[in-house]
Amino acid sequence: MSYAAYKMMHWPTGIDHCAAGFITHSPAEAAAFSSLGPTISGPEGDIDSAAARAPQRVGPTPNLVVVAANVLEVYAVRTDTVMGAEDGGTSSSAGAILDGISGARLELVCYYRLHGNIESMALLSDGTENTRDSITLAFKDAKIACLEFDDSINGLRTSSMHCFEGPDWLHLKRGRESFACGPVIKADPQGRCGAALFYGLQMIILKAAQVGQSLVGEDEPTRMLSSAAVRIDSSYVIDLRLLEMNHIKDFTFVHGYIEPVLVILHEQEPTWAGRISSKSQTCMISAFSISMSLKQHPMIWSFAKLPHDAYQLLAVPPPISGILVICANSIHYHSQSTSCSLALNSFSSQPDGSPETLKTSFHVELDAAKATWLSHDIVMFSSKNGEILLLTVVYDGRAVQRLDLMKSKASILSSGATTLGSSFFFLGSRLADSLLVQFSFGVPTSVLPDLTDECADIEGDPPFAKRIKRVPSDVLQDVNSVEELSFHNNSVPNSLDSAQKISFVVRDALINIGPLKDFAYGLRTNSDPNAAGIAKQSNYELVCCSGHGKNGTLSALQQSIRPDLITEVELPSCTGIWTVYYKSSRGITTEDNEYHAYLIISLESRTMVLQTGDDLGEVTETVDYNVQASTIAAGNLFGRRRVIQVYAKGARVLDGSFMTQELNFTMHSSESSLSSEPLAAASASIADPYVLLKMVDGTIRLLVGDHSNCTISVNAPAVFASSSERISSCTLYRDRGSEPWLRRARTDAWLSTGIGEATDGNDGSSHDQSDIYCIICFESGKLEIFEVPSFKCVFSVEDFVSGLAILSDDLSHTKDAVIGVPDATTVSVKKEEANNIKIVELAMHRWSGQFSRPFLFGLLNDGTLLCYHAYCYGGLESNAQCAPLSPNGSSDLDNASDSRLRSLRFRRVSIDVSSRDDISSFTRPRITIFNNVGGYEGLFLGGPRPTWVFVCRQRFRVHPQLCDGPIVAFTVLHNVNCCRGLIYVTSQGFLKICQLPSAYNYDNYWPVQKVPLHGTPHQVTYYAEQSLYPLIVSVPVVRPLNQVLSSMADQELGLHIENDVTIGDDLQKVYTVDEFEVRIMELEKPSGRWETRFTIPMQPFENALTVRIVTLQNTTTKENETLMAIGTAYVQGEDVAARGRVLLFSFSKSENSQNLVTEVYSKESKGAVSAVASLQGHLLIASGPKITLNKWTGSELTAVAFYDAPLHVVSLNIVKNFILFGDIHKSIYFLSWKEQGSQLSLLAKDFGSLDSFATEFLIDGSTLSLVVSDSDKNLQIFYYAPKMVESWKGQKLLSRAEFHVGAHVSKLLRIQMLPTQGLVSEKTNRFALVFGTLDGGIGCIAPVDELTFRRLQSLQRKLVDAVPHLCGLNPRSFRHFKSNGKAHRPGPDNIVDFELLSRYEELSLGEQLDIAQQVGTTRSQILSNFSDFSLGTSFL
């Protein structure tokens, strides 16, 4: 394997940073939209009064921005309001309604994967009502990018970039190469500037542009719909060394000053744990007034003698202002005039002569806590053990008097917290699912009138006070019920000083499977033993150790879906299946839960009809369906009162089983004189009450239904009779709802409907209106949308087939410039390939949800699925404003375009469907849209590689289905025995009725089932014979301190310790210790639940380090035995010599035995047993710095050979008689075991120093490579070549490739690759490595052959420049090996990066052909390489 490819398969889910801000809309727009008052009819003053009239507890809600490693996501909070519940939810039952809100969820606005890890994030906001916030991101080493939301592309665009790297800025580093922490960025609350700390002591001040100016200088009128965002204007550097600082701990901007004031927490002279008794108050804070015009920063006040463990500053919001200094054992408040502090436990120290500080009534340690302000005087902390604490700043209007801290609910271990508006907060986490929580200051009913008056009074205040008054309190808990906490709050100057209750409820959760410490590859419960080829892969799943502490879980992940089979029948030569409803006059069931009545199965020359009652019974003989011909489509018309069946020669309308009308298709009347033979239909699309037919000759017909008498008539649209263009595909789209979405895209729509999004009518009437549109794609690649039945063109795109990033209406927006004509020679080559590409199928659908927008899908004949999301842009431009855009457009053009969907645009959404197969000119339709299968909605893509596309939170979750090979037909089925299920027909001719496995959550990159363990999982392994998963779990247990100390110390020392401890009240102290156990878990077959079958507890202070299934040869009986080996270590402090144990357990064969496992061997060893493995029937044990090889006699282990490792073995891998081990600091060693001399001999090693995380062998045919991941987030591939000169006669391992992953790779697993069509003739003995990271990502490193590698590498070099990268990040520099200041000799660049290559598929067709031609290959060749690689690595 000289060449490899890197591909992420499951992107990071652990959230590092979260922030709230008005990204996609300004606060004024949000307020106008959330007030359900009258429609807006004037300047923004009216909006405020409208908002004031509606007494609303929930203010405008900002967007949520989250960062997971290099993934950036922007969400909108969508709330379900309860109409009429004005009081704070007291009238509601079950308590799930809070502040008139019955539910809330996060909906994705945009999603980006960047070429660099985001180290820090801040949102620049100037606090005014009608500007938006912008996102500033900081990257290593010293890069800043500023992003804003651009309405025209409905996504983020980079507004400025700032880089302080390279030769011009080397002086900032002062000769240092590595820095303890990455860049940190903070923003001024009034949005005047931002500050970023780089290289330890360089502060960069980013000056924001004045409102109304921008870098580009467009004179856009300040109009409400697209408000401007804050921009960065210029920047300069402050060297903090000149201010005599040498260790910055934190910094922040404070409120309440005319100029921005930056407060810096820094340590004057460092101290350490052994010096605390003599030197503990070492920190101080200094406040600097930043004058950006003069570039000066005078110090205005400072405060010294703060505890050494201060680590965080919190700026107190107005009207209080000032700053909170958070220490591990105390909290201090400081402002220019007053200060006070609060001690949290008995370790807090005070400087001599200071006034007595208050103490809390309980003990808490606050190090590593995350904080967010719920209101102007209440701050919420999420502590390191997942508790929620509320701190009240008590003030009397002038000065702060004291700080009050109280405990609240238990919650998740969070990595960040942010408040969203006045009633939500979000807890981001790397260790658990992140939660969106709604909170409410419950108010006694007597105070309600005052509260509403108060809301009305606030209108006069500046906008900031208005936002702060309706503030929330956020608290999280493990339970999803509303819990209340009594909360005393004396700080409100009004009469609200009665006990306030804060209640909260979890509204939504974002799934996280990180950190992946270890995983095992095992069989699923519903696996099929007879599967072969690629279908066999969906028998497996990945069982992962994820989470930590009380949030520890076992996650079962599957890449492909395997539905649970209910029943199957053999059914050859099927061409399509449909289920239809039948609503008789007496049917009163609600539309949502109605059962299907008939299943229609179309065979090649006939049709079968089945009743879907209690069981499926064939009724083909007794119904009036046309059963002699094959059916093209079937569906319901007239509100499910009738069924229509379309076949090639005609159509039938049926009432239940009786036919009410039959139509035969003939040629168009004008041509009937030439030929009167009937014309056959080729495909059909049904949207009640219309049916659109595409005929064999490429013309279309429309069947129009008449509601009054439930009949249909044929209509041939005259628009197409004259045009000679052939239609390649067409579909109907039904835009339904209380307010159809596309109506907003009209030119004049904004006048009547108010601000952008629709709200439910005030009267709560939900009368559905529906507009029908017809979407047609011509063979030239042009797409047009028509109104039905008038067939007036409302939207057209010239070149839909090429997959442009943004589609907009060609007539409304005339192109500004004529595109230059390229050379004729190059065009002809590309034209040939481009001409063969056509759209074979279209679909457009808007899924449920008040805020959902339609999606448009187009399937190309090469298997590509184009996918677009609709949005509105520019609806407020009146015709007068349009005029300068189109100088050549006459006034009558403007009038003609009045009814067009002028502000409708489509944004291309990338969707990872990896089927690349030429589809013949006419096949069965492959896209099936479903609205409820197992509670999920989305679409199913049939064909050679069937794929599920779930629509969750307005984003796509793509999950392939490999288990049955190609699927020819699919439909949903909902009846008594199959609730919300599905039916599909495989190409082998089996009809299967299934349900989605309900245990899995599909709103993730891969379907996942999370099993809570209430402890930290450390390692898992798989025992195949009984499908058991042994795993190491540690549970934190609270123990009395004296018990802990006495058991830790050696016996002689015990007496002295006892005497010391008994002084004072220290006997009551407790200490948390981790207790380890090995649990053997199994997935129960029928129920799908995980059960613990057996638990092996460890001794006190014994940590289990490794558990593995080993196969040993019993030397007495000469038989192989499969045993479970456990390696442990005693952790007893640095005074006691390290010891460990090796335990061997055997599994019982019989089902009914008492014990699942029995211990067969146990022995103590010197040093911790950190890894075990079996080598040709022997047991290899790494204990401390020594590796021993042992024989198994059936009762004893006897050492045969040994090798001395340098420090501590992290991982062991074995192939045949070769051993690879990684050392904690000294990189990797490559050994071999020789039977005859019985010795372990060193073949070669890597001479560099490397902190290994995980190691594994990579096998490609006959070549063996060694892979290691390290603490700097790199991966290296080495090889052993003793004949090469530079290997020092074979002592040194040579580098084959190196790569920066950007995440800590904690586990590598070797899995055999699948043979694909392109690689059949080549080596079959190919293995890829699947890896898991601590961010929750899963990817693979796989070997590729040289030809493919060269092609993809030259494509990759092209894409670095050809594709615009968000934030201007360079993918090449991101993937360079990061040595973090250590000496490193660069290795060869022999890995291609699929994260960058995948951008090729998102380009438009012209760009794809261009780039392929520049690389010297063809588009189809590149795409088939992609497809082969994804097929070869679809392991799950």
Side-chain angles (χ1 to χ4, degrees), residues 548-806:
H548 182 84
K550 63 181 185 184
N551 298 127
T553 56
L554 196 65
S555 304
L557 289 161
Q558 309 178 346
Q559 195 179 354
S560 61
I561 289 181
R562 184 181 199 99
D564 287 336
L565 188 65
I566 297 177
T567 173
E568 71 173 319
V569 247
E570 196 163 346
L571 185 73
S573 72
C574 168
T575 60
I577 47 176
W578 299 267
T579 44
V580 292
Y581 298 97
Y582 168 52
K583 193 180 268 183
S584 57
S585 53
R586 64 181 184 283
I588 320 167
T589 51
T590 57
E591 197 161 290
D592 297 338
N593 205 26
E594 189 181 344
Y595 287 156
H596 287 107
Y598 293 102
L599 167 66
I600 300 161
I601 301 173
S602 166
L603 306 176
E604 270 174 14
S605 59
R606 61 192 187 91
T607 296
M608 290 169 62
V609 182
L610 283 75
Q611 234 173 348
T612 57
D614 296 343
D615 51 353
L616 292 181
E618 187 171 345
V619 290
T620 311
E621 305 305 319
T622 61
V623 291
D624 288 345
Y625 286 83
N626 182 357
V627 296
Q628 302 310 316
S630 153
T631 304
I632 288 175
N636 286 92
L637 287 184
F638 312 121
R640 297 186 178 173
R641 286 179 303 185
R642 297 285 187 274
V643 175
I644 181 161
Q645 178 202 10
V646 180
Y647 43 94
K649 300 280 192 295
R652 290 189 183 187
V653 180
L654 296 105
D655 182 359
S657 57
F658 303 108
M659 179 169 72
T660 58
Q661 187 186 0
E662 180 168 20
L663 279 178
N664 287 323
F665 305 145
T666 55
M667 288 297 277
H668 197 260
S669 54
S670 62
E671 304 155 16
S672 57
S673 55
L674 301 171
S675 62
S676 57
E677 88 265 8
L679 184 62
S683 64
S685 163
I686 301 172
D688 185 12
Y690 300 103
V691 181
L692 183 71
L693 306 168
K694 177 172 167 263
M695 298 307 193
V696 182
D697 66 348
T699 59
I700 61 172
R701 298 279 187 279
L702 183 72
L703 305 185
V704 184
D706 180 358
H707 263 290
S708 56
N709 54 4
C710 293
T711 57
I712 54 172
S713 52
V714 183
N715 169 9
V719 189
F720 307 111
S722 54
S723 76
S724 57
E725 275 194 284
R726 282 181 66 97
I727 292 170
S728 69
S729 65
C730 55
T731 185
L732 287 178
Y733 165 61
R734 181 174 179 197
D735 195 20
R736 55 180 297 182
S738 55
E739 180 171 328
W741 192 86
L742 281 178
R743 288 191 191 177
R744 286 182 226 154
R746 292 284 165 85
T747 316
D748 46 1
W750 65 282
L751 291 170
S752 55
T753 59
I755 293 289
E757 309 281 354
T759 57
D760 287 339
N762 276 343
D763 50 353
S765 62
S766 62
H767 52 276
D768 270 12
Q769 311 166 326
S770 59
D771 302 344
I772 311 276
Y773 295 90
C774 163
I775 298 131
I776 291 182
C777 195
F778 298 97
E779 295 207 342
S780 62
K782 181 176 175 182
L783 175 99
E784 297 202 326
I785 301 182
F786 297 90
E787 282 182 350
V788 175
S790 63
F791 277 94
K792 191 163 65 174
C793 178
V794 290
F795 185 85
S796 63
V797 175
E798 222 19 76
D799 198 11
F800 175 70
V801 74
S802 65
L804 301 164
I806 303 285

Side-chain angles (χ1 to χ4, degrees), residues 1218-1436:
F1218 296 112
I1219 301 163
L1220 163 67
F1221 74 81
D1223 187 82
I1224 195 165
H1225 284 309
K1226 296 289 183 192
S1227 196
I1228 57 171
Y1229 284 67
F1230 184 41
L1231 316 175
S1232 78
W1233 152 246
K1234 295 195 180 61
E1235 186 85 56
Q1236 55 268 37
S1238 68
Q1239 59 181 9
L1240 290 172
S1241 52
L1242 175 70
L1243 294 176
K1245 66 175 183 175
D1246 172 26
F1247 280 80
S1249 69
L1250 196 70
D1251 302 353
S1252 315
F1253 264 48
T1255 57
E1256 187 53 275
F1257 287 104
L1258 188 54
I1259 300 168
D1260 180 22
S1262 56
T1263 39
L1264 186 68
S1265 309
L1266 322 169
V1267 183
V1268 58
S1269 67
D1270 64 41
S1271 59
D1272 290 323
K1273 307 185 178 181
N1274 302 309
L1275 256 164
Q1276 277 174 282
I1277 305 180
F1278 291 98
Y1279 66 111
Y1280 174 59
K1283 294 190 175 64
M1284 305 273 285
V1285 181
E1286 56 263 45
S1287 74
W1288 303 348
K1289 294 184 179 170
Q1291 300 174 55
K1292 184 178 176 199
L1293 288 171
L1294 300 178
S1295 172
R1296 182 161 270 165
E1298 57 184 27
F1299 191 79
H1300 182 67
V1301 177
H1304 286 121
V1305 173
S1306 52
K1307 164 79 175 179
L1308 291 159
L1309 176 73
R1310 191 171 71 236
I1311 301 182
Q1312 185 156 4
M1313 286 181 76
L1314 303 165
T1316 51
Q1317 298 85 23
L1319 309 167
V1320 174
S1321 58
E1322 303 202 25
K1323 341 171 198 180
T1324 52
N1325 187 26
R1326 281 201 141 161
F1327 286 82
L1329 298 184
V1330 174
F1331 63 80
T1333 72
L1334 295 183
D1335 296 326
I1338 300 171
C1340 69
I1341 298 275
V1344 289
D1345 54 284
E1346 182 169 1
L1347 186 68
T1348 310
F1349 173 79
R1350 295 272 176 241
R1351 182 183 299 125
L1352 294 180
Q1353 189 183 39
S1354 45
L1355 172 65
Q1356 177 177 314
R1357 286 179 181 148
K1358 243 328 159 266
L1359 287 174
V1360 171
D1361 307 322
V1363 181
H1365 305 294
L1366 193 70
C1367 301
L1369 294 164
N1370 187 337
R1372 278 188 65 185
S1373 71
F1374 177 46
R1375 295 308 183 185
H1376 266 304
F1377 187 91
K1378 306 277 191 290
S1379 60
N1380 198 13
K1382 302 200 241 341
H1384 174 76
R1385 199 169 152 211
D1389 176 23
N1390 282 346
I1391 296 189
V1392 288
D1393 175 19
F1394 266 89
E1395 281 292 273
L1396 175 58
L1397 290 172
S1398 64
R1399 299 291 300 273
Y1400 180 76
E1401 301 188 63
E1402 297 166 24
L1403 295 173
S1404 68
L1405 185 60
E1407 294 169 308
Q1408 288 184 356
L1409 296 169
D1410 264 345
I1411 289 177
Q1413 194 174 20
Q1414 290 165 4
V1415 169
T1417 177
T1418 61
R1419 168 178 181 268
S1420 53
Q1421 180 66 60
I1422 291 172
L1423 293 180
S1424 77
N1425 283 152
F1426 286 3
S1427 172
D1428 284 346
F1429 187 81
S1430 68
L1431 273 174
T1433 55
S1434 49
F1435 304 116
L1436 299 155

